Amino acid sequence: MRRRLRAPVVLVLLLWMFGTACSGPDDPTGLAGEPTDVILDQARTAAKNATAVHITGTWVTQQVEYQIDMRIKTDGATGEIVSTGTRIELLRVGVDLFVRGDESLYQPRDGRQDPDAAASAEVLRDKFVKVPPDDPAFARLSGFTQLHPLLDELFRLEGKVKKDGRKNVRGVETLALAANKGRGGELYVSLGGKPYPMRYSPGPNAGRLDFYEYDTDFPVEVPPGNQVVDYGTLNPAQPPAPGTDAHQSPAPGASGKPSGSPTGTRSPSGQPTSTRSS
C-alpha cells in the first residue's frame, strides 16, 4: 500500500512546487507566466481604470531634453516641465488650464529683442496665465494633463515584444517587456497587485518616465484671483501664449497628434507619449 501511494504523493508534491515556482513571492498573481499579449492587455486595462498617477522622468524630443514631474487625475493635474533653463508650471482644474513660468517663458526663442514681449513678460512672470481653450497653447500643453490619453500611449511599442527579465522599480517588482530588443520601446509592468505600467521608454536616447502613486488623490484648486491673468483679455498684439513657439514646447498639437520626434525613434512624438504602432 505504501509503495502504491508513494508515486501519487511525489507527483502531488512536484505539482505543488511547480505551481509555487510559477508565481512566487515576487509574483503573487502569476502574471509573469502569461504570454506577452495577455500581460499587455491586463496592463492596458489597469491603466484604463486608474483614477490618478504621478509621472516623473525625462523626455527627449528634437534633441531637447525635458524634465517632467506631473501628478494627473481624471479631473485635474498639477506639476512642472523644465527644459533649457525654462520652467513651466501646469495646473488643470476641470476644463480650465493655467500656466505659470518666469520671464524666459514669454521671450522669443530665436534670441531677438522684442520690447512688447519684454513688457508682457514683466507682467506675466510668476503669474498663472489662464489659457483659453481655442488657443493653440491649450492643445499643446493640455496633453501633459490628460490622464488616460497619456497612459494609452504607453502601449505603442514598435516591433516584436518579448519578456526581458525583472526589475525593481521604486520598490515594486516588475516584468520588463522589450520591443525589438528595446529599440522599439520598453514597458515595465507591476507583478504585485494590479498590473500597472510602472516605467516606459520609447527607445534608446529618448528618455524614460516612471509611473507611481496610482489612484492616490491630490487637491487641485483654482489659484487666487490676484495670481491669475486671463490670457484671453490681453492685447492681441502681445507675444504668443506660452507653448506656441515652435522651439518651446514638446506638447501635442491641437489635433491630439504629437508634433515632435523623440531622439532615437522613427515615429513622431511631441508629448511625453509615443506614437509607435503595436
Side-chain angles (χ1 to χ4, degrees), residues 64-196:
V64 178
E65 180 177 292
Y66 296 87
Q67 301 289 332
I68 297 172
D69 187 347
M70 293 292 303
R71 299 188 68 184
I72 309 172
K73 59 182 180 178
T74 52
D75 60 350
T78 181
E80 66 178 26
I81 302 167
V82 179
S83 180
T84 59
T86 298
R87 174 179 172 271
I88 304 175
E89 184 177 350
L90 298 178
L91 171 65
R92 181 172 65 84
V93 183
V95 297
D96 293 328
L97 177 66
F98 302 87
V99 179
R100 180 163 68 175
D102 55 21
E103 291 185 23
S104 65
L105 178 61
Y106 303 98
Q107 297 288 353
R109 295 298 159 187
D110 57 6
R112 59 188 169 86
Q113 299 297 316
D114 188 330
D116 289 336
S120 296
E122 180 66 26
V123 173
L124 298 175
R125 68 172 183 173
D126 299 325
K127 295 282 189 180
F128 279 102
V129 178
K130 184 178 180 181
V131 185
D134 59 349
D135 192 292
F138 185 92
R140 291 174 64 84
L141 294 173
S142 65
F144 288 109
T145 71
Q146 302 293 329
L147 178 62
H148 292 120
L150 193 151
L151 289 178
D152 287 346
E153 292 292 333
L154 298 180
F155 303 98
R156 298 185 181 271
L157 300 171
E158 185 177 274
K160 186 174 180 59
V161 179
K162 293 184 178 181
K163 300 175 186 178
D164 192 30
R166 299 189 185 189
K167 186 178 184 66
N168 188 289
V169 177
R170 295 183 176 272
V172 176
E173 187 74 7
T174 70
L175 176 69
L177 300 177
N180 192 19
K181 298 182 179 181
R183 293 187 292 271
E186 293 180 322
L187 181 68
Y188 293 80
V189 180
S190 172
L191 294 177
K194 295 181 180 180
Y196 285 128

Side-chain angles (χ1 to χ4, degrees), residues 21 34 44-45 55 61-62 75 95 120 126 131 185 201 207 250 252 256 277:
E34 298 289 347
R44 184 181 293 110
T45 299
I55 303 176
T61 180
Q62 297 180 339
D75 60 350
V95 297
S120 296
D126 299 325
V131 185
S201 172
S277 57

Side-chain angles (χ1 to χ4, degrees), residues 59-61 201-207 262-265:
W59 194 257
V60 181
T61 180
S201 172
N205 305 315
T263 301
T265 67

